[in-house]
Amino acid sequence: MHFTGEHILSVKQFNRDSIAHIFHTANQMEPYALRTKRTNVLDGAILGNLFFEPSTRTRVSFGCAFNLLGGEVRETTGMQSSALAKGESLYDTARIISSYSDVIAMRHPQSGSVQEFANGSRVPVINGGDGANEHPTQALLDLYTIEKELAAHGQHINGMHIAMVGDLKYGRTVHSLSKLLCLYKNIRFTLISPNELAMPQEVVDTIANAGHHITITDQLAGHLEADIVYQTRIQEERFPSQDEANKYRGKFRLNQAIYTQYCKSNTVIMHPLPRDSRSDANELDNDLNLNPNLAIFRQADNGVLIRMALFALTLDVADKVTQYECEVPWHRSR
Ligand code: NCD
């Protein structure tokens, strides 16, 4: 894939070469993300960071990633505080914001909305999540995390076993990650969800057509002996009613006792976050926090590296980052 000036809307745009290129660029971002060095390569550039749906880490990490490359961030959060609430079209908003920005990151509750927005934009648009459809930057950071975590165990993505758990119907992160994993070989997928929240058939077909092995179940017990367990939150905001969502709260909880009983001794636990820590949900218990195989915070940290890489590639500065390097004068507590 050629990145310069391109929108990033779907994982379907990537192949193994483009992924290797993104991951190589992400590795080079580490000293800047860790603040051992600074770079001003994007000095003067502006990111339009438009989040029309709740977000903490995706929104802030897009902003941090741009700042860490020396650029500035302009942000809107929420639908009600934007002109979309006055009936403005996505196309018009895109025309306007794209003349104020060099690149735009956008999240919106409707499937296909970011593509529609991109049609009106004169600068690259990066999809930060469009409804239950896709979340390509999350899938890249998930894949980057899987590769790193497995490498630490001497394993590879080809031939791994991944169990995806929870709301596989509305969870866009598992949709995008599953599609991205179709670029690899011989993966065992165990899809664990209530029947009503099963992985969409289109995604199951894509996995099957890639030659992977699939087990579909509504039972957690006995199905967690995987290399990666990817837990998810019930996507309450996408259900037709709160009552409907409540039926599934707390159905698939993972805690240390369950981990000890059903997982392998080195099963890596991932979650796109936020984990729902309310007592009646609690899909990933705090008692796992000391488990060294809990990768969720490393996973979130990797989001900054991946988003820095995507900005550097999209704005064609990946090979100029060191040229614009400078010292970090302040005290770093980490
Ligand atoms: C996910 C999302 O927004 O799809 N969060 C994220 O971006 N890290 C998952 C979720 O909200 O449950």
Side-chain angles (χ1 to χ4, degrees):
M1 177 191 172
H2 164 77
F3 290 95
T4 308
E6 292 294 320
H7 301 308
I8 295 175
L9 300 173
S10 164
V11 291
K12 290 182 197 138
Q13 291 171 253
F14 305 124
N15 59 26
R16 288 285 292 275
D17 284 346
S18 53
I19 288 171
H21 193 33
I22 296 168
F23 288 4
H24 173 73
T25 311
N27 289 338
Q28 292 177 325
M29 298 300 169
E30 216 162 83
Y32 311 104
L34 293 172
R35 277 68 143 185
T36 54
K37 288 178 189 165
R38 281 175 65 203
T39 177
N40 286 323
V41 72
L42 289 185
D43 185 21
I46 293 179
L47 164 69
N49 207 23
L50 312 183
F51 274 70
F52 299 111
E53 240 194 355
S55 174
T56 303
R57 86 219 74 238
T58 306
R59 178 172 58 83
V60 177
S61 70
F62 266 121
C64 283
F66 209 73
N67 288 149
L68 286 165
L69 290 167
E72 300 236 4
V73 182
R74 296 284 176 273
E75 196 159 271
T76 72
T77 53
M79 201 70 91
Q80 287 313 313
S81 58
S82 84
L84 293 179
K86 296 180 178 177
E88 185 167 59
S89 66
L90 288 168
Y91 182 88
D92 283 4
T93 306
R95 281 301 297 249
I96 306 304
I97 301 299
S98 62
S99 67
Y100 301 164
S101 318
D102 296 281
V103 58
I104 293 171
M106 183 188 168
R107 169 174 288 189
H108 190 282
Q110 271 162 23
S111 288
S113 53
V114 183
Q115 169 76 66
E116 186 182 336
F117 180 92
N119 294 340
S121 174
R122 287 170 284 182
V123 300
V125 174
I126 303 181
N127 184 357
D130 62 321
N133 184 35
E134 276 228 37
H135 195 345
T137 65
Q138 180 72 41
L140 286 170
L141 77 90
D142 288 343
L143 189 71
Y144 182 77
T145 305
I146 292 171
E147 192 173 89
K148 275 193 165 178
E149 298 287 326
L150 291 184
H153 302 161
Q155 291 173 279
H156 191 265
I157 296 176
N158 288 331
M160 73 162 177
H161 178 193
I162 184 168
M164 295 180 169
V165 185
D167 184 351
L168 306 184
K169 176 179 181 184
Y170 295 115
R172 56 192 168 199
T173 70
V174 285
H175 301 164
S176 287
L177 178 59
S178 298
K179 291 176 192 165
L180 208 48
L181 288 173
C182 289
L183 297 173
Y184 293 79
K185 297 224 173 335
N186 196 25
I187 296 177
R188 219 175 119 195
F189 281 79
T190 301
L191 305 177
I192 307 171
S193 71
N195 291 332
E196 299 83 353
L197 302 184
M199 187 69 94
Q201 194 57 43
E202 171 241 332
V203 182
V204 175
D205 290 346
T206 308
I207 300 170
N209 290 338
H212 298 315
H213 181 271
I214 311 174
T215 303
I216 297 177
T217 173
D218 61 357
Q219 298 299 313
L220 202 58
H223 289 98
L224 293 175
E225 267 211 352
D227 301 307
I228 305 283
V229 169
Y230 191 102
Q231 177 64 291
T232 64
R233 177 181 68 87
I234 300 295
Q235 308 282 293
E236 301 194 354
E237 64 276 30
R238 310 209 190 287
F239 281 71
S241 72
Q242 187 61 46
D243 282 351
E244 188 64 22
N246 288 344
K247 287 191 205 161
Y248 305 104
R249 294 191 112 209
K251 275 228 161 177
F252 295 114
R253 296 166 190 245
L254 186 56
N255 58 27
Q256 186 56 51
I258 292 171
Y259 184 93
T260 307
Q261 190 174 0
Y262 295 112
C263 292
K264 299 197 301 183
S265 61
N266 64 358
T267 296
V268 175
I269 309 165
M270 294 176 60
H271 190 306
L273 301 179
R275 53 178 158 173
D276 186 342
S277 293
R278 288 170 287 193
S279 56
D280 56 344
N282 204 26
E283 70 260 3
L284 206 53
D285 199 282
N286 282 336
D287 72 358
L288 287 159
N289 287 0
L290 293 178
N291 185 324
N293 297 310
L294 183 77
I296 56 175
F297 300 117
R298 297 190 286 276
Q299 185 183 356
D301 287 350
N302 289 338
V304 174
L305 300 177
I306 290 293
R307 292 180 175 119
M308 287 178 82
L310 293 175
F311 287 135
L313 291 167
T314 308
L315 297 177
D316 197 18
V317 292
D319 56 356
K320 299 188 185 70
V321 170
T322 49
Q323 197 183 319
Y324 287 83
E325 206 167 89
C326 46
E327 294 300 310
V328 177
W330 63 84
H331 171 74
R332 287 169 292 115
S333 311
R334 46 181 76 228

